Amino acid sequence: MSRPRTLEIVGESCPQLICRVMGMFAQQNLIPARMETTSSALAIRLSLSVDGIDEQRFRIVAEKIRMLVNVETVTIVD
């Protein structure tokens, strides 16, 4: 069984950003085990943890999120 993996995402303060990020997980038939958001007038910060995903698949999801409009940074937390 693989360990939980976490992504830290920072993006522009856009109401659609959270839905777009979650859509990337939904395309892989994944539901994050934990999600934390913080928002301000300028940015949204998301922290998402996913259980039961291998490293390669997790990196693919991270790259797809990185390419989304309004995403500034994506960091894989080990």
Side-chain angles (χ1 to χ4, degrees), residues 36-74:
E36 184 178 325
T37 62
T38 306
S39 65
S40 67
L42 300 175
I44 293 176
R45 295 181 185 277
L46 297 145
S47 177
L48 295 144
S49 293
V50 180
D51 294 328
I53 185 171
D54 63 75
E55 185 175 349
Q56 181 179 356
R57 190 169 170 204
F58 190 66
R59 289 187 182 280
I60 290 169
V61 172
E63 281 302 316
K64 287 183 176 189
I65 292 171
R66 194 172 277 122
M67 293 187 302
L68 288 173
V69 174
N70 302 108
V71 170
E72 295 170 4
T73 63
V74 177

Side-chain angles (χ1 to χ4, degrees), residues 26-42:
Q27 288 177 5
Q28 297 292 317
N29 201 33
L30 296 168
I31 299 171
R34 185 187 65 82
M35 179 176 158
E36 184 178 325
T37 62
T38 306
S39 65
S40 67
L42 300 175

